[in-house]
Amino acid sequence: MRHEGPAADPLTLADYARLAQTAMDPAVWDFLEGGAGEERALARNLEAFDQARLRPRVLAGVAQPDTRTRVLGRGWAAPVAVAPMGYHTLAHPEGEVATASAAGAAGVPLVVSTFAGRTFEDIAAVTTAPLWLQVYCFRDRATTRELIGRAQRAGFEALVVTVDAPRLGRRLRDVRNGFRLPTGIAPANLSGADFSSPSGHARAEFDAALDWSVVEWLRSVSPLPILLKGILSAADARRAIEAGVDGVIVSNHGGRQLDQAPATLEALPEVASEVAGACPVILDGGIRRGSDVLTSLALGADAVFLGRPVLHGLAVAQRDGVAGVLDIVIDELADVMALTGTRFVADAGPELAYGSERRTPLAAPRAVNSSGLLKEELHASVSDPVLDTMNFLNEITQRYPDAISFAPGRPYAGFFDIEQMFEHIRRYLKHLEENGKSPAQVRETLFQYGPTSGQIRELIADSLRQDEHIDVPPESIVVTVGCQEAMLLVVRALMSGPDDVLMAASPCYVGITGVARLLDVEMTAVAEAEDGFRCADLEAAIRDERAQGRRPRAFYVVPDHSNPSGTTMPLEERRALLELAAREDILLLEDSPYRMVSPGRQLPSLKSLDRGRHVVQLGSFSKSLFPGARVGYAVADQAVVDRAGNTGLLADELTRIKSMVTVNTSPLSQAAVGGMLLAAGGRTSELNVETAAYYGEAMQATLRQLDACFPSDDRAALGISWNRPDGGFFLAVDVPFRADDAALTRSAEEFGVIWTPMSYFYPGGGGEHTLRLSVSYLSQADIHEGIARLARYVKAEARR
């Protein structure tokens, strides 16, 4: 919520600036606003943004733009970070601590200046957002090395090296004012020098002879990613890429910038074109509105830095003032994204921005990348953070092969026997012969494409009757390439217009989120309570969607031993959910792959309780029978009536879509799964007696080892807790630190244990202090050792 002034009217950024100037000593205000060169650079930047124009787009169907993005492997709530600025304590005694707290609440990073007025440790203690360190290189490299090491130990995640200001320029206003830092104001992370005159200190201590070798030197003293701040030309961008930097920052307000230097917005297209996606490009300078952010993204930036307005907010209302400034910019960004039809941050491309003839940099398209396609010209989903999550996990696993991994939700490999696969296929072929198929027909069944809807639908229908008491005709079943395809077919069929909304219990399986992003489908997360899903929360969300003119079409849920949290929906809640679906006229998408591989008697599935055809069941044999076969199915027995009054099944419509996606599911895979179903007389539960017992014991062994490694007193002191699923593959562990990609990398590298950040599974954001453990793929010995390593990691991380 935006900060409100005494008259309860929302403040603008101009209001914050005016109030801050009134509240500050004039000499302090002049110092924080910068020297004459910085003023001229800022003026050029503001003018460039004032002249920029964005193309509106009507009837685009973008009701709720998604401002989230991902930079250097970390999720940001918006493509905005707080720029590096020294001496926040001049604006308010809480300084960077207040700024960091507000930035963390907003979900955006803070770049902490070398000349921060509060310690790195104090700053890190109050925020969950990424912290980067802005670095000036001193003549005494030991000072720089010590500064970087201290920030790294405090949990900072990247280095922003200011390369355009080896010394501060002449600050005539400071000279006229005779400005000296007030008593008690000094850099909190540096010592041993006279800081009372900042410009004098800079001229005496900064290394004015920096060259490109500084990148190599920084690599030698720290493993943190390096971004260079002050890049304004394609030539320097090219040198930066060749030097192996991890990001470039387009900035023109360093201390020695030429008066003729371009505005950041003018330089951005040239730099972004040269970088061509090799690393993130960030713009710093002149951001005052949400439209400035979107214009920057359209012209090639991945994110922007927001500077002076943050200090203005800090001076006016401490933490709340910073929060108010960030809210204004992020809210305006969402508004302008909606007005330009920009659903996701990655959708912003050069077609959004244009200018007058004298502003040709805005109108000109980016240079063609002769070595390939520009990623920003591909569909936005390829740049969506959701699609990077599994790739990042795979990368971590490959990078640290000796680590014990609680990440993959795969079945235990010890149950597979190669010879059994051939037995199952032969059994299915014999079944075909016994049902009157000629040798030529059997051969064709195995070698040709086969029916799009699937050739083992009768066997699946029989299995559902015996195992789940679900009585549906084979015609209502579509055999798919895994459950993932079933999700895609159903979501594609149901979502027909821009106002249609897919809802999902959150946290949820990342696959359904990915489907929504691939199909440009609006998705609304319905947050689970601590003890699991509640119908009342879904009902409230449905009504809220309708109040905003949208149409909730379906609700996705994993009711049994869910992925990722491991929770199970009680029977009374299942009945209430079915009643709600009937009352509100929505479909339930039930994805429940862990029932057959969990010990004990399972609660009735939603589909087995469904009397009004309100449930589409999304099924899979990957967990229960044969992962590599990739055979799933959708039970879609809902009636579909066309304009002429003809009635069919939703399954028929899914089949039509499938014919344009995968054509059919592999006959060989279907034969293997069909043979397994025949071997058990349709009862997959009988085939899974041993596996369910194994997984149940794996879960109990994990819980016992957690209890042993974290006695009750330690849990309270550390702030760690976990749930206790009675089946499935997963459980959730709450930890006292941010469980993100950076934390996962430290866990794998330093302690040899891998887990999954729970934040991957929150479509609307959340889960930052929770990790998911999968127990399915590991032996008992690995579980014992892996939890011991995890305990050592958690205790070390909690002390950071």
Side-chain angles (χ1 to χ4, degrees):
M1 181 176 293
R2 298 180 185 176
H3 173 74
E4 297 185 355
D9 290 328
L11 297 180
T12 66
L13 294 193
D15 292 331
Y16 278 112
R18 175 177 50 79
L19 292 172
Q21 184 173 12
T22 301
M24 286 184 187
D25 178 275
V28 171
W29 170 264
D30 284 348
F31 174 76
L32 291 178
E33 291 301 289
E38 291 173 278
E39 275 195 334
R40 289 192 292 272
L42 176 60
R44 289 195 295 274
N45 294 339
L46 295 176
E47 180 185 6
F49 279 114
D50 282 342
Q51 293 186 14
R53 299 291 182 267
L54 291 170
R55 288 186 172 90
R57 184 165 158 238
V58 300
L59 301 177
V62 180
Q64 290 181 308
D66 189 342
T67 64
R68 292 176 299 166
T69 191
R70 199 172 189 86
V71 178
L72 296 182
R74 278 284 252 129
W76 299 11
V80 177
V82 177
M85 297 171 288
Y87 303 106
H88 285 218
T89 45
L90 285 170
H92 191 280
E94 285 297 303
E96 289 82 3
V97 169
T99 305
S101 178
V108 300
L110 166 63
V111 187
V112 179
S113 170
T114 290
F115 297 103
R118 297 296 300 268
T119 67
F120 296 155
E121 294 78 10
D122 285 347
I123 297 168
V126 299
T127 187
T128 56
L131 292 174
W132 294 358
L133 174 66
Q134 178 260 344
V135 178
Y136 288 112
C137 277
F138 296 98
R139 288 191 175 96
D140 180 4
R141 289 291 176 90
T143 299
T144 306
R145 182 187 293 110
E146 181 180 349
L147 189 79
I148 292 171
R150 183 171 174 181
Q152 186 175 328
R153 290 189 296 273
F156 284 47
E157 300 177 17
L159 304 177
V160 174
V161 186
T162 298
V163 295
D164 61 344
R167 63 180 181 136
L168 296 182
R170 287 181 59 80
R171 299 168 64 98
L172 297 180
R173 288 190 300 184
D174 292 346
V175 174
R176 285 196 301 269
N177 294 331
F179 181 77
R180 312 281 289 183
L181 287 178
T183 302
I185 301 292
N189 302 287
L190 293 169
S191 60
D194 178 11
F195 299 103
S196 60
S197 172
S199 57
H201 172 265
R203 284 191 292 273
E205 301 296 336
F206 286 6
D207 185 350
L210 285 181
D211 59 26
W212 287 97
S213 66
V214 72
V215 177
E216 184 178 353
W217 179 79
L218 288 167
R219 289 270 185 238
S220 72
V221 301
S222 173
L224 295 179
I226 297 170
L227 300 93
L228 298 187
K229 177 178 175 291
I231 302 299
L232 285 170
S233 69
D236 279 347
R238 182 166 55 254
R239 288 293 305 272
I241 298 301
E242 291 170 354
V245 303
D246 301 282
V248 298
I249 299 165
V250 178
S251 171
N252 70 348
H253 50 272
R256 293 201 307 176
Q257 283 296 348
L258 297 171
D259 282 347
Q260 294 79 16
T264 51
L265 197 63
E266 293 171 331
L268 176 60
E270 175 182 329
V271 172
S273 178
E274 186 64 37
V275 170
C279 68
V281 175
I282 298 173
L283 180 139
D284 178 27
I287 299 296
R288 294 296 182 271
R289 298 164 297 200
S291 59
D292 298 343
V293 180
L294 188 60
T295 298
S296 302
L297 299 180
L299 295 182
D302 295 286
V304 303
F305 283 171
L306 180 66
R308 286 185 180 89
V310 171
L311 289 184
H312 301 159
L314 180 63
V316 172
Q318 196 190 344
R319 180 193 182 279
D320 289 346
V322 176
V325 165
L326 293 173
D327 283 350
I328 288 172
V329 175
I330 295 172
D331 287 352
E332 288 179 353
L333 171 62
D335 290 343
V336 76
M337 286 175 68
L339 292 170
T340 57
T342 309
R343 186 183 300 273
F344 300 111
V345 166
D347 289 343
E351 71 283 352
L352 284 181
Y354 63 90
S356 66
E357 289 74 8
R358 63 191 181 88
R359 292 285 299 157
T360 52
L362 291 178
R366 296 184 200 174
V368 175
N369 180 0
S370 60
S371 63
L373 299 172
L374 292 176
K375 189 170 183 178
E376 61 266 29
E377 294 179 358
L378 303 180
H379 187 264
S381 62
V382 303
S383 299
D384 195 289
V386 169
L387 272 65
D388 285 334
T389 54
M390 294 302 108
N391 290 334
F392 179 75
L393 280 178
N394 291 336
E395 176 191 334
I396 287 290
T397 301
Q398 293 169 9
R399 196 188 312 166
Y400 304 104
D402 295 330
I404 295 174
S405 180
F406 289 92
R410 294 184 290 174
Y412 179 58
F415 294 124
F416 305 138
D417 184 329
I418 291 176
E419 286 303 315
Q420 287 182 344
M421 178 175 64
F422 299 107
E423 292 175 11
H424 297 320
I425 293 173
R426 293 190 189 99
R427 184 178 296 108
Y428 179 72
L429 298 181
K430 183 178 179 181
H431 166 75
L432 294 178
E433 293 172 356
E434 291 173 348
N435 281 271
K437 295 279 189 181
S438 68
Q441 289 172 321
V442 170
R443 184 173 64 250
E444 179 157 325
T445 297
L446 201 61
F447 283 93
Q448 289 292 358
Y449 292 111
T452 299
S453 57
Q455 60 191 29
I456 60 171
R457 294 188 296 168
E458 291 81 3
L459 296 178
I460 294 174
D462 180 60
S463 175
L464 289 172
R465 276 192 296 273
Q466 297 200 55
D467 271 334
E468 298 281 21
H469 306 292
I470 296 172
D471 192 1
V472 293
E475 294 77 20
S476 69
I477 297 172
V478 181
V479 185
T480 59
V481 181
C483 188
Q484 192 70 32
E485 188 191 21
M487 292 180 201
L488 187 143
L489 298 179
V490 172
V491 172
R492 178 66 291 161
L494 293 179
M495 304 295 155
S496 62
D499 292 328
D500 288 345
V501 176
L502 171 66
M503 311 183 83
S506 179
C508 67
Y509 170 55
V510 71
I512 191 67
T513 308
V515 163
R517 302 287 166 80
L518 288 171
L519 298 178
D520 289 326
V521 165
E522 193 80 28
M523 185 168 176
T524 295
V526 181
E528 289 187 350
E530 284 191 14
D531 55 349
F533 167 77
R534 293 176 182 171
C535 276
D537 295 330
L538 174 60
E539 186 171 17
I542 290 172
R543 292 177 179 173
D544 182 62
E545 292 295 328
R546 287 182 175 150
Q548 298 182 60
R550 293 188 289 270
R551 182 172 70 150
R553 292 285 281 153
F555 175 65
Y556 171 88
V557 65
V558 182
D560 302 287
H561 319 295
S562 73
N563 179 7
S565 63
T567 60
T568 293
M569 186 185 298
L571 179 58
E572 59 272 19
E573 208 68 34
R574 296 175 191 233
R575 297 188 189 279
L577 180 57
L578 287 164
E579 292 173 4
L580 177 63
R583 187 167 64 251
E584 298 290 346
D585 191 27
I586 65 167
L587 288 178
L588 305 177
L589 309 185
E590 179 186 28
D591 180 10
S592 202
Y594 307 103
R595 293 170 57 80
M596 293 299 115
V597 292
S598 295
R601 186 178 180 85
Q602 302 300 304
L603 293 172
S605 68
L606 290 173
K607 190 61 182 173
S608 70
L609 298 171
D610 181 25
R611 299 295 177 264
R613 297 188 180 183
H614 294 292
V615 178
V616 176
Q617 188 176 61
L618 308 170
S620 172
F621 295 108
S622 292
K623 304 297 187 293
S624 58
L625 297 183
F626 191 168
R630 302 298 301 130
V631 174
Y633 60 88
V635 178
D637 58 346
Q638 289 71 27
V640 176
V641 183
D642 66 17
R643 292 181 182 273
N646 302 311
T647 301
L649 293 174
L650 179 57
D652 300 331
E653 313 308 322
L654 303 186
T655 300
R656 289 187 177 90
I657 299 171
K658 180 178 171 64
S659 70
M660 293 292 120
V661 179
T662 57
V663 182
N664 72 313
T665 301
S666 164
L668 192 62
S669 293
Q670 290 188 71
V673 170
M676 297 178 83
L677 293 173
L678 289 166
R683 297 187 62 83
T684 58
S685 54
E686 291 187 1
L687 286 176
N688 282 279
V689 170
E690 182 184 355
T691 55
Y694 180 91
Y695 294 133
E697 178 51 34
M699 179 65 74
Q700 293 307 311
T702 303
L703 294 171
R704 287 194 298 268
Q705 183 68 344
L706 283 169
D707 288 338
C709 291
F710 296 102
S712 56
D713 289 346
D714 284 0
R715 290 176 224 170
L718 288 170
I720 183 173
S721 62
W722 54 87
N723 61 347
R724 295 180 174 274
D726 57 6
F729 288 5
F730 310 104
L731 72 155
V733 181
D734 294 327
V735 292
F737 51 85
R738 191 177 183 93
D740 53 20
D741 291 354
L744 173 57
T745 301
R746 290 193 295 273
S747 178
E749 182 177 288
E750 299 175 23
F751 294 86
V753 62
I754 297 172
W755 36 268
T756 307
M758 190 67 89
S759 57
Y760 288 1
F761 305 97
Y762 281 80
E768 290 85 1
H769 291 83
T770 307
L771 50 90
R772 187 195 76 171
L773 299 184
S774 173
V775 304
S776 60
Y777 192 65
L778 300 175
S779 66
Q780 295 277 326
D782 282 341
I783 289 172
H784 191 275
E785 173 60 22
I787 295 298
R789 295 183 186 183
L790 180 69
R792 290 194 290 272
Y793 164 70
V794 169
K795 292 171 183 177
E797 193 76 13
R799 291 193 295 267
R800 284 174 62 89

